[in-house]
Amino acid sequence: MNHPVKIKNALVSVYYKDNLAPLIKLLNKYGVTFYSTGGTEAFIREQGVDVVAVEDLTSYPSILGGRVKTLHPKIFGGILARRPLAGDQEQLAQYEIPEIDLVIVDLYPFEETVASGAPEQDIIEKIDIGGISLIRAAAKNFNDVVIISSKSDYQELEGMLATQDGQTTLEQRKEFAKRAFNTSSHYDTAIFNYFNQEGPLSVFKQSVQQAQALRYGENPHQKGTFFGNLEAMFDKLNGKELSYNNLVDVDAAVAIIDEFNDPTFAILKHTNACGVASRSTIKQAWIDALACDPVSAFGGVLITNGEIDQETANEINNLFFEVLIAPSYTEGALHVLTAKKNRIILKRKDVQLPKEQFKTLLNGVIVQDKDHTVEGPEEMTTVTEVQPTTAQLNDLYFANKIVKHTKSNTIVFAKNNTLVASGVGQTSRVDALKQAIEKAQSFGFDIKGSVMASDAFFPFPDCVEIAGDAGVAAVLQPGGSIKDQLSIDMANEKGVAMVITGVRHFKH
């Protein structure tokens, strides 16, 4: 049923007044009576439009420093009255309450205030009481009332009214009500999560306002959606839309590159690094990262922490890749890289990332802190007779950064700030080690003198024995096995230095 409603009276009280003026003028053209408060009341008068102060309607002033303005039966009665019910109409007449057919209200900027680092008292004052109540009341009575809870809806309502002679349909009002309940629930979630920061989590609540439909999920038969604001994180300079798998890989790429301060290039495939190198220039970092595993690099995701110039772009241009991410590009580099229209070229922005991660599992959700720990030389305890050199400690630190972001079970070989090879996602640590050795040999890398990092302890000395025989000079592991001493003894026997960090880096 269409059930058109012509707007006669409107309550307008907003924090953001962008693009509001044209809507006010159109409503005035249709003879709508306005009720308002404070700054919005003054704004409406500035448009040359008459407005009734809420205080004049309620016969009650704004009190408690503005905390109580609209919380009054003459306001909520006009919003919540059921127009078809004779009893409601009799009470409206008895108490001289006007029917309010349109409510335009937004909320205090709570999230923005929290993000600004404001003191707690300022944050508390941005918890909206009257606004949230008005929004819920109007949305509940969508049968007869239009609720506009966001400035992004001003122009849409203006277009509807202009083409429908100042009326709205039931379907339109119900859609605005849905958006309003989204506004109110998101707002309450933000407030709850602010108060829920301390201590163990007892409730899981998340609300993300923006959604982007993806072509599909991991596979074409699966639906996929990204919830979030990619435009806040990246400027997309070229290429097709990011897919589900692209996004998963991009997330992994961002996580690993943020471990490095020196000019670094990383190449990822299926979230695992297949090439990483830190050098004095981005171009040389790219060349040496690619040399690690040029086969796996085909169709990969590339990321760097420095500007890409045209000379580097010419080198990258020789490889087929899905996504390239950098903080900046020269004009010449973009000319080279955007020649192929499907390549996704992203310019990364400086955005604070979440400190927690979660995923659905079984019939619920699991949440954890992100792994922000990585142990450098000062956290490495040497447990062998052979002491690692300064260069080896630096390489162990480099390898530890990579092993932390690689699927378990994993072994990483590194030398001279370069990923030599890795064994990833294996069901045994020995298999991961053997895979890494085989990959290094297949691409002509000499393991002798390299260092080895393991994401977890060695349950037996076999990995250390194999690594020692392959020529590995130093080993990093978290330790913690009841048979740690056997691995230490094997390292001593093979003349290999071993350090223990005390921190495991499983990545499942």
Side-chain angles (χ1 to χ4, degrees):
M1 189 174 180
N2 187 12
H3 183 43
V5 171
K6 192 171 184 67
I7 297 171
K8 305 179 296 298
N9 301 302
L11 173 68
V12 187
S13 181
V14 296
Y15 190 89
Y16 297 105
K17 301 170 182 66
D18 316 47
N19 301 317
L20 179 61
L23 179 57
I24 295 296
K25 292 175 181 177
L26 179 65
L27 289 165
N28 183 57
K29 174 184 171 184
Y30 287 119
V32 172
T33 299
F34 292 96
Y35 299 91
S36 190
T37 62
T40 308
E41 178 188 344
F43 176 83
I44 294 173
R45 293 190 194 282
E46 288 170 5
Q47 311 312 309
V49 174
D50 290 335
V51 56
V52 178
V54 163
E55 292 91 333
D56 293 338
L57 173 62
T58 64
S59 300
Y60 220 96
S62 172
I63 62 172
L64 306 180
R67 279 189 164 195
V68 179
K69 292 181 289 215
T70 56
L71 295 167
H72 193 279
K74 280 204 170 183
I75 299 296
F76 283 88
I79 295 170
L80 287 166
R82 292 155 292 189
R83 279 40 167 184
L85 294 188
D88 284 14
Q89 290 297 321
E90 289 171 4
Q91 288 187 322
L92 290 179
Q94 179 183 356
Y95 298 110
E96 299 181 338
I97 300 174
E99 292 180 346
I100 297 176
D101 315 297
L102 168 64
V103 174
I104 304 177
V105 172
D106 60 12
L107 300 170
Y108 292 152
F110 178 83
E111 289 179 279
E112 293 88 338
T113 306
V114 171
S116 73
E120 183 167 87
Q121 187 54 45
D122 291 349
I123 292 171
I124 298 305
E125 286 306 312
K126 288 299 185 290
I127 298 177
D128 206 315
I129 303 302
I132 203 81
S133 301
L134 291 166
I135 287 172
R136 289 178 62 84
K140 176 177 180 177
N141 205 22
F142 67 86
N143 193 65
D144 298 294
V145 180
V146 182
I147 172 61
I148 299 297
S149 59
S150 170
K151 62 182 181 181
S152 62
D153 292 332
Y154 293 168
Q155 290 182 324
E156 184 175 354
L157 177 62
E158 184 185 346
M160 288 178 183
L161 298 177
T163 58
Q164 295 167 187
D165 194 29
Q167 295 182 336
T168 60
T169 67
L170 179 60
E171 182 181 17
Q172 290 165 346
R173 294 191 297 277
K174 192 170 185 178
E175 172 60 27
F176 283 130
K178 182 184 78 171
R179 299 180 194 179
F181 284 123
N182 177 42
T183 297
S184 64
S185 63
H186 177 82
Y187 195 74
D188 284 340
T189 297
I191 295 170
F192 171 79
N193 284 336
Y194 171 76
F195 284 98
N196 199 39
Q197 295 177 87
E198 302 298 328
L201 295 176
S202 57
V203 176
F204 177 80
K205 288 183 185 290
Q206 288 289 325
S207 177
V208 183
Q209 292 287 67
Q210 292 177 275
Q212 177 180 327
L214 305 174
R215 295 194 299 275
Y216 48 79
E218 278 186 294
N219 301 290
H221 62 276
Q222 296 169 268
K223 291 182 179 179
T225 305
F226 174 77
F227 291 93
N229 183 7
L230 281 176
E231 291 183 0
M233 179 111 193
F234 303 108
D235 286 329
K236 187 161 77 70
L237 307 179
N238 190 71
K240 58 189 177 182
E241 293 302 315
L242 287 156
S243 69
Y244 181 101
N245 291 333
N246 289 154
L247 289 169
V248 173
D249 284 331
V250 166
D251 176 69
V254 166
I256 195 169
I257 203 67
D258 283 352
E259 301 284 1
F260 299 93
N261 294 318
D262 294 334
T264 302
F265 229 113
I267 306 169
L268 287 88
K269 196 71 170 288
H270 300 173
T271 74
N272 292 306
C274 56
V276 184
S278 295
R279 292 292 183 269
S280 60
T281 67
I282 293 298
K283 176 186 174 183
Q284 195 58 51
W286 161 253
I287 292 170
D288 293 341
L290 179 62
C292 174
D293 185 351
V295 174
S296 295
F298 183 86
V301 169
L302 323 179
I303 190 166
T304 184
N305 56 5
E307 182 174 74
I308 295 179
D309 58 22
Q310 185 170 348
E311 197 174 344
T312 306
N314 287 332
E315 294 287 340
I316 297 171
N317 199 44
N318 294 321
L319 177 75
F320 168 75
F321 61 87
E322 287 283 340
V323 184
L324 173 61
I325 309 163
S328 61
Y329 304 82
T330 66
E331 185 176 343
L334 286 177
H335 178 73
V336 172
L337 295 168
T338 58
K340 296 182 180 180
K341 64 179 182 178
N342 284 333
R343 283 177 173 169
I344 300 171
I345 309 296
L346 301 178
K347 179 182 176 183
R348 185 179 173 187
K349 302 177 184 179
D350 185 16
V351 174
Q352 186 174 1
L353 298 174
K355 296 179 181 179
E356 295 176 334
Q357 55 190 170
F358 59 88
K359 64 179 179 180
T360 58
L361 186 147
L362 299 176
N363 62 340
V365 174
I366 53 174
V367 181
Q368 69 170 354
D369 296 333
K370 287 186 176 180
D371 186 356
H372 289 297
T373 299
V374 62
E375 306 74 47
E378 61 277 9
E379 288 87 31
M380 299 175 189
T381 301
T382 303
V383 293
T384 50
E385 297 166 1
V386 177
Q387 299 287 315
T389 66
T390 299
Q392 287 167 354
L393 286 171
N394 289 333
D395 277 342
L396 286 170
Y397 185 28
F398 180 90
N400 200 26
K401 293 176 181 180
I402 299 172
V403 86
K404 165 185 166 181
H405 294 279
T406 309
K407 290 286 186 182
S408 302
N409 288 317
T410 182
I411 292 289
V412 166
F413 292 144
K415 184 192 291 186
N416 300 327
N417 287 328
T418 308
L419 173 62
V420 172
S422 60
V424 304
Q426 299 302 304
T427 52
S428 81
R429 202 154 301 280
V430 171
D431 285 343
L433 173 57
K434 290 179 177 178
Q435 182 191 54
I437 292 173
E438 183 179 344
K439 289 198 76 170
Q441 291 173 342
S442 69
F443 293 110
F445 282 98
D446 186 2
I447 297 173
K448 290 180 181 179
S450 67
V451 303
M452 179 178 88
S454 174
D455 62 328
F457 64 62
F458 302 116
F460 303 102
D462 46 5
C463 283
V464 179
E465 181 179 13
I466 296 169
D469 289 341
V472 168
V475 173
L476 175 146
Q477 60 138 328
S481 169
I482 60 173
K483 296 182 179 181
D484 271 349
Q485 191 59 49
L486 293 178
S487 294
I488 295 169
D489 291 342
M490 180 58 69
N492 284 326
E493 180 181 329
K494 298 294 182 181
V496 175
M498 178 181 288
V499 301
I500 287 179
T501 64
V503 179
R504 187 185 72 186
H505 290 293
F506 271 161
K507 185 185 177 189
H508 283 185

